[in-house]
Amino acid sequence: MSAQLDYHAIRTCFERFRAERPEPKGELEHVNAYTLLVAVALSAQATDKGVNKATRELFSIADSPQKMLALGEDGLVEHIRTIGLYRNKARNVIKLSRILVDDYGGEVPSSRAALSSLPGVGRKTANVVLNMWWRQPAMAVDTHVFRVANRTGIAPGRDVLAVERALEDNIPADFALHAHHWLILHGRYTCMARKPACGTCVIRDLCRYEDKTT
């Protein structure tokens, strides 16, 4: 875990991230709040690319909780077999769809507490939906964000919740909406786990990571 960067350095980091990617976007394909929720839930321990491949046909026939319930668990399984833990995920998607229909009129709620109470939806998934659909400055900390936050010194923390809180505290408000996407994309394409591309990193001079590659 690297030492914390100061406010000026953090602001400079995000100015550079913004210059590199002015409008960062999540890579999970979706058509509405419900399909986003399902896609994020399915993405646990899976790649966005793999989820997108499985959900393109699925969402063409089941883009609402009502249609997903009509498809049923067995029907859903047939679409997501290529995704890890597909049986458990199918069970959770059907359960959360039933709750959305029964308790929320078929709509996806816009509160973290309500989202987190749904089967298979943890804090990270809830934060992604809040950020991407409801345009709230929520910080979804996945493995990429956790790694980048700690390596760089932008938001060091020993666990996911600590990093989330540090991001909320440390990132200037005008960068908060897109912050988690900038960090995810930086971690996915530049600050990789095994061999970070430090030579092409836009924040190399500010980053506190001691084992930079050439």
Side-chain angles (χ1 to χ4, degrees), residues 57-72:
E57 184 177 347
L58 171 64
F59 291 158
S60 72
I61 60 174
D63 61 357
S64 71
Q66 294 89 342
K67 291 178 183 177
M68 192 68 75
L69 290 172
L71 180 64

Side-chain angles (χ1 to χ4, degrees), residues 50-126:
V51 172
N52 290 338
K53 185 176 180 180
T55 58
R56 282 179 194 129
E57 184 177 347
L58 171 64
F59 291 158
S60 72
I61 60 174
D63 61 357
S64 71
Q66 294 89 342
K67 291 178 183 177
M68 192 68 75
L69 290 172
L71 180 64
E73 186 175 328
D74 290 342
L76 174 55
V77 162
E78 291 305 310
H79 286 277
I80 64 170
R81 282 186 180 277
T82 55
I83 300 175
L85 307 173
Y86 66 90
R87 288 197 180 277
N88 188 53
K89 289 176 180 179
R91 194 173 304 118
N92 284 331
V93 168
I94 295 300
K95 286 180 180 178
L96 73 82
S97 298
R98 172 54 61 193
I99 292 171
L100 291 178
V101 170
D102 291 347
D103 298 347
Y104 297 97
E107 299 296 325
V108 174
S110 59
S111 82
R112 182 184 288 121
L115 287 166
S116 298
S117 71
L118 297 171
V121 179
R123 188 180 181 90
K124 183 193 79 173
T125 297

Side-chain angles (χ1 to χ4, degrees), residues 102-174:
D102 291 347
D103 298 347
Y104 297 97
E107 299 296 325
V108 174
S110 59
S111 82
R112 182 184 288 121
L115 287 166
S116 298
S117 71
L118 297 171
V121 179
R123 188 180 181 90
K124 183 193 79 173
T125 297
N127 282 345
V128 171
V129 174
L130 291 174
N131 180 265
M132 289 183 64
W133 191 261
W134 298 112
R135 307 288 289 177
Q136 295 182 22
M139 302 294 169
V141 181
D142 68 353
T143 55
H144 297 301
V145 175
F146 187 81
R147 178 174 67 253
V148 173
N150 274 292
R151 272 184 181 172
T152 61
I154 288 173
R158 296 195 178 279
D159 57 44
V160 168
L161 190 56
V163 168
E164 181 183 327
R165 288 173 174 165
L167 289 169
E168 290 173 346
D169 290 343
N170 298 342
I171 293 175
D174 50 326

